[in-house]
Amino acid sequence: MKRILSLALAFFVAGAHAQAPVPPEIAARQYILIDVSANQVLAERDADTPADPASLTKLMSAYLVFNAIRDGKLTLDQRLPVSTRAWDERKYGGSLMFIDTRMQPRVDELLRGMIVQSGNDATVALAEAVGGTVENFVAMMNKQAQAWGLKNTQFKNPSGLTEPGHKTTPREIAYIATRIIQDHPKFYPIYSERAFAFNNIRQDNRNLLLGRDPSVDGMKTGYTEAAGHCLVASAQRDMPNGKRRLLSVVMGTASMQARANESQKLLNWGYAAWDAIRLFDAGKAVATVPVWKGNKSEARLGAPGAIFVAVPRGEGEKLKTSIERTDPLVAPLQQGQRVGTLKVTTAGGTTVAQIPLQVLEPVGLAGIFGRAWDAVRLWIK
């Protein structure tokens, strides 16, 4: 299910906060729990405070590499040279794929080196292939962050080594991770791979939840002394209303075990304490409204994907919906054009979610006489 909103983080700030279930105590400096299916925040602490992200940085690096493959700039079986700069990553003490300048690994191998093994050397090799230089690639990372409206994110390198000014937040890391899931489903399964071997060196994925919880299928670990132990964990479980995906980000925990334990605690609480309510199926009209000066008298408003909301357990039957929309609605209207908002509230009036409504089918202009007649009617109105 893919929903791209006009404001990058709009759906990460509109959760049901009043009278919400109390989350468990989480032993992390910062965290956030997102219901990806409903586009809502279920719990958070210091989610907008910038911090060192360590190898969570590689989520953005991977996104740009996925874009390059999608756009035909790289192919999975393409072999890439290993520069001295990529080889030099072994000097800094971080995770490695153990490539060297005599090798020409394939892109698909380097992807697994970056994602499964968290190799800084693989990340640099891919960055140079996409950006020409590491510096150009970092500029691309920051340009993408700005395009998404990530105001608290600034990258200084593609791998996540500690560097002054290299920062992001749990909320913005969650957004990057969600974009990978939504925009690149073809590549997302790499994040669930338990291990990868290259040049006879086998390394396990450091995401311990992959071996503990069968619903967890990603996503990325990180560690530096400055950042502590960090983990983005994504899980998808079958629920009565369909598949439901939650995503947690914990930053600044004390150990590998702690980041796994605290992430598991968040995910289990999210599934147990919150219900996912399916309000409308994909492409179904939420409302049919009048259109002026159009070749159709009405427009169907809805969302391209199914509309879910997350509510405290047992509160689903008490929901109320209302629509705020542009009025008068004047043609021409483009498919996908945002013209309103579906507001979902509890019986007591607490806002649960605000979901952008789009035009489901285009509405062209009426003929000259139809437009003139509607102009008169609008003037009278």
Side-chain angles (χ1 to χ4, degrees):
M1 177 173 56
K2 181 178 179 181
R3 278 174 279 174
I4 302 175
L5 308 188
S6 58
L7 295 176
L9 300 181
F11 59 86
F12 279 180
V13 296
H17 295 294
Q19 300 177 340
V22 178
E25 184 58 37
I26 300 300
R29 287 198 293 263
Q30 303 166 263
Y31 72 83
I32 193 167
L33 177 65
I34 303 291
D35 188 317
V36 177
S37 301
N39 295 339
Q40 288 175 228
V41 173
L42 304 186
E44 62 181 277
R45 183 171 69 216
D46 292 336
D48 295 310
T49 301
D52 187 328
S55 283
L56 302 188
T57 301
K58 295 183 176 83
L59 291 168
M60 178 63 94
S61 297
Y63 186 88
L64 295 182
V65 176
F66 296 153
N67 281 355
I69 297 170
R70 178 200 61 197
D71 297 340
K73 298 175 182 177
L74 289 178
T75 62
L76 289 172
D77 60 357
Q78 180 177 345
R79 292 191 176 274
L80 298 180
V82 177
S83 69
T84 301
R85 184 164 186 174
W87 187 87
D88 280 347
E89 287 295 314
R90 65 189 60 207
K91 297 178 180 179
Y92 306 124
S95 302
L96 296 169
M97 182 182 175
F98 298 103
I99 52 178
D100 66 45
T101 54
R102 297 167 297 176
M103 300 175 177
Q104 286 195 325
R106 298 190 310 269
V107 169
D108 67 320
E109 293 173 323
L110 289 166
L111 277 174
R112 285 165 173 81
M114 175 173 65
I115 293 169
V116 180
Q117 299 177 334
S118 199
N120 294 344
D121 48 359
T123 305
V124 168
L126 288 167
E128 291 176 326
V130 174
T133 67
V134 170
E135 289 74 19
N136 286 346
F137 186 80
V138 172
M140 293 170 63
M141 295 169 72
N142 289 315
K143 184 177 179 180
Q144 183 64 75
Q146 292 166 8
W148 282 338
L150 308 186
K151 299 185 182 302
N152 294 308
T153 293
Q154 181 70 34
F155 296 113
K156 297 294 185 177
N157 61 72
S159 60
L161 291 175
T162 300
E163 190 171 339
H166 188 90
K167 62 181 182 177
T168 187
T169 69
R171 192 184 312 277
E172 296 186 356
I173 280 290
Y175 183 77
I176 298 168
T178 300
R179 291 302 295 258
I180 290 175
I181 294 168
Q182 294 179 338
D183 295 353
H184 294 292
K186 174 183 176 181
F187 298 111
Y188 178 69
I190 299 174
Y191 288 95
S192 68
E193 294 183 13
R194 299 276 300 278
F196 177 62
F198 180 79
N199 197 29
N200 296 318
I201 301 172
R202 183 184 186 276
Q203 297 187 64
D204 292 332
N205 193 317
R206 295 172 180 82
N207 182 358
L208 300 180
L209 292 186
L210 293 174
R212 296 182 186 178
D213 183 342
S215 71
V216 172
D217 55 11
M219 190 164 184
K220 190 69 192 75
T221 61
Y223 170 75
T224 61
E225 185 174 348
H229 291 268
C230 308
L231 175 61
V232 177
S234 180
Q236 183 169 265
R237 298 183 186 178
D238 290 322
M239 309 299 286
N241 286 325
K243 294 184 181 298
R244 182 184 182 198
R245 180 172 294 281
L246 301 186
L247 184 141
S248 64
V249 180
V250 297
M251 299 176 69
T253 70
S255 66
M256 288 180 63
Q257 289 288 345
R259 71 188 178 192
N261 293 343
E262 301 310 294
S263 298
Q264 185 76 77
K265 195 185 303 183
L266 271 175
L267 292 170
N268 288 344
W269 172 81
Y271 282 112
W274 296 80
D275 287 331
I277 306 300
R278 190 185 190 103
L279 295 179
F280 296 94
D281 291 329
K284 183 177 179 181
V286 173
T288 302
V289 298
V291 177
W292 300 84
K293 301 184 180 182
N295 59 2
K296 300 177 184 177
S297 61
E298 294 178 324
R300 298 172 67 246
L301 308 185
I307 297 177
F308 288 85
V309 293
V311 297
R313 177 59 58 89
E315 295 290 319
E317 295 181 357
K318 304 174 184 178
L319 294 179
K320 297 181 179 180
T321 60
S322 60
I323 295 175
E324 299 173 353
R325 63 178 178 83
T326 304
D327 190 23
L329 205 56
V330 181
L333 301 174
Q334 304 297 319
Q335 183 175 354
Q337 181 177 338
R338 181 175 174 176
V339 294
T341 302
L342 177 67
K343 187 174 182 179
V344 185
T345 61
T346 64
T350 300
T351 299
V352 173
Q354 298 187 69
I355 302 159
L357 294 180
Q358 303 176 4
V359 177
L360 294 179
E361 295 101 15
V363 179
L365 281 171
I368 186 170
F369 294 110
R371 297 200 303 272
W373 173 242
D374 275 358
V376 172
R377 294 172 63 208
L378 279 170
W379 181 77
I380 296 172
K381 181 180 178 182

